[in-house]
Amino acid sequence: MSATNLLELAPDEIVALVESLGQPAYRGRQLATWVYVKGVGDFRAMTDLPRDLRDELERVASITPPKVAAQRVSQDGSTKLDLRLTDGRTVQAVVMPDGDRLTLCVSTQVGCGFGCAFCLTGTMGLVRSLTAGEIVGQVWAARATLEPGTRLTHVVFMGMGEPLANYVATVKALRILVAPLGFGFSPRRITVSTVGLVRGLERLARENLRVNVAISLHAPTDEVRSQLMPVNRGWGLYDLLAACRRFPLPVRQRMTFEYTLLDKVNDSAEDAQRLVRRLRGLRAKVNLIPFNEWSGSSFRRPTPERILAFQRTLLDAGLTATIRWSKGEDVGAACGQLAS
Ligand code: SAH
Ligand code: SF4
């Protein structure tokens, strides 16, 4: 029997495992604290656990995060990590400092099967989905690379892959991230970005996780959205936005709509007006992402003037709209530049 990777287990499952070894529950809570809260990966260092339990754990369990295979620091201070999984495949995670925030962007799949026209990850197709342990393992591994005294404040599920197409593992990872004996993040500091899977959103709504949700919208009409995002041919904007309206948002929380600006494709003044109309009645904020270019793509980033004009239209209509001047572009770590 192969050893159980504890990073695949939620804290309560770690407690159950320790109980199955004939130990009291509080020993399990101590173990979960070592693994998740303190980030210790060696059973021998867990000095408040009895010796015989540590020996037993060496035999039946492991703490196996993905391995940091490469680490590239960008001029803007963000760091792209290439993380090697146990089967030799790699995914990427990006650490992004911003003022007093330190955000980690994690992947949920190797590649992605949705084939959005502007996304480099999409060109890979779906290789495979990650396990919950491989998702939280990215947080574990990234945390271990940080300078002493610094800590991750936010986690965004915006790396490679579509989180809601890997639903069970994503939700389990979210629960481990927010559990007090897990990573202990406030759900308000976690964001899941989705291409807009209506069924997945409806299911997520019932989990009562209270994490932030970001919807990749990218166009205000079905015609353009279907060209850019094949997923829209199955579920159009009307159904998607209806699901967003039904989504139970906690008080003072808003849904984010991501909109990648593509020169002369979706960035006209009229597009901005249409977007305003589409989002009416939603507790929405818009995150504008100027297209990050990659070789082989025919899309272009709009000029700064066009980007700012688009934002101005949204602001004038009373929407909150921010521009994500991308992080890590020089090391291929910006949105939509991740591939392995
Ligand atoms: N699959 C999820 C999450 C990963 S992508 C989703 O699609 O939401 C994170 C964000 O970056 C998405 O909004 C995506 O559409 C956007 N994006 C992808 N490629 C991009 C590119 N080349 N430039 C700018 N944004 C891009
Ligand atoms: Fe997949 Fe998201 Fe890229 Fe679309 S934008 S191909 S859903 S990772």
Side-chain angles (χ1 to χ4, degrees), residues 112-119 121-123 125 227-231:
C112 180
F114 285 89
C116 301
F118 47 80
C119 175
T121 307
T123 63
Q227 277 166 23
L228 298 174
M229 305 172 74
V231 70

Side-chain angles (χ1 to χ4, degrees), residues 117-130:
F118 47 80
C119 175
L120 182 60
T121 307
T123 63
M124 292 175 69
L126 176 63
V127 180
R128 74 167 171 88
S129 281
L130 302 186

Side-chain angles (χ1 to χ4, degrees), residues 18-60:
V18 167
E19 286 182 312
S20 78
L21 300 174
Q23 298 276 345
Y26 78 92
R27 293 289 185 207
R29 290 193 291 271
Q30 283 176 310
L31 176 58
T33 304
W34 282 111
V35 175
Y36 286 128
V37 183
K38 299 182 187 167
V40 169
D42 179 1
F43 295 119
R44 282 166 304 193
M46 302 179 180
T47 45
D48 60 358
L49 295 180
R51 187 58 186 272
D52 56 338
L53 175 57
R54 282 184 269 162
D55 291 344
E56 182 73 4
L57 287 169
E58 295 267 9
R59 278 190 294 277
V60 302

Side-chain angles (χ1 to χ4, degrees), residues 11 14 46 125 128 132 139 143 185 203 231 269 275 279 314 321 330 334 340:
I14 292 183
M46 302 179 180
R128 74 167 171 88
V139 185
R143 185 174 60 179
F185 283 99
R203 212 171 151 191
V231 70
L275 181 60
L279 295 181
L314 304 187
D330 53 335
S340 47

Side-chain angles (χ1 to χ4, degrees), residues 105-106 108-109 112 114 116 118-121 157-163 192-196 214-218 229 258-262 289-294 297 301 324 326 334-337:
C105 175
V106 296
T108 54
Q109 299 181 310
C112 180
F114 285 89
C116 301
F118 47 80
C119 175
L120 182 60
T121 307
F157 286 53
M158 295 186 184
M160 294 163 74
E162 167 51 39
V192 177
S193 173
T194 174
V195 72
I215 307 285
S216 289
L217 206 65
H218 306 319
M229 305 172 74
E258 293 161 286
Y259 196 105
T260 293
L261 288 165
L262 306 164
I289 316 173
F291 176 62
N292 294 307
E293 300 190 0
W294 42 275
S297 172
R301 175 185 290 210
R324 193 191 301 164
S326 265
C335 290
Q337 287 186 329

Side-chain angles (χ1 to χ4, degrees), residues 200-257:
L201 274 171
E202 288 169 345
R203 212 171 151 191
L204 189 67
R206 294 193 292 269
E207 305 281 351
N208 194 27
L209 276 160
R210 310 173 81 80
V211 296
N212 299 297
V213 176
I215 307 285
S216 289
L217 206 65
H218 306 319
T221 64
D222 280 316
E223 194 196 344
V224 176
R225 194 166 191 266
S226 292
Q227 277 166 23
L228 298 174
M229 305 172 74
V231 70
N232 196 69
R233 296 167 203 165
W235 296 97
L237 276 169
Y238 182 86
D239 293 321
L240 173 57
L241 293 171
C244 293
R245 287 194 172 83
R246 287 194 302 271
F247 197 88
L249 286 177
V251 276
R252 283 196 296 279
Q253 205 159 305
R254 282 180 294 180
M255 198 169 263
T256 300
F257 291 88

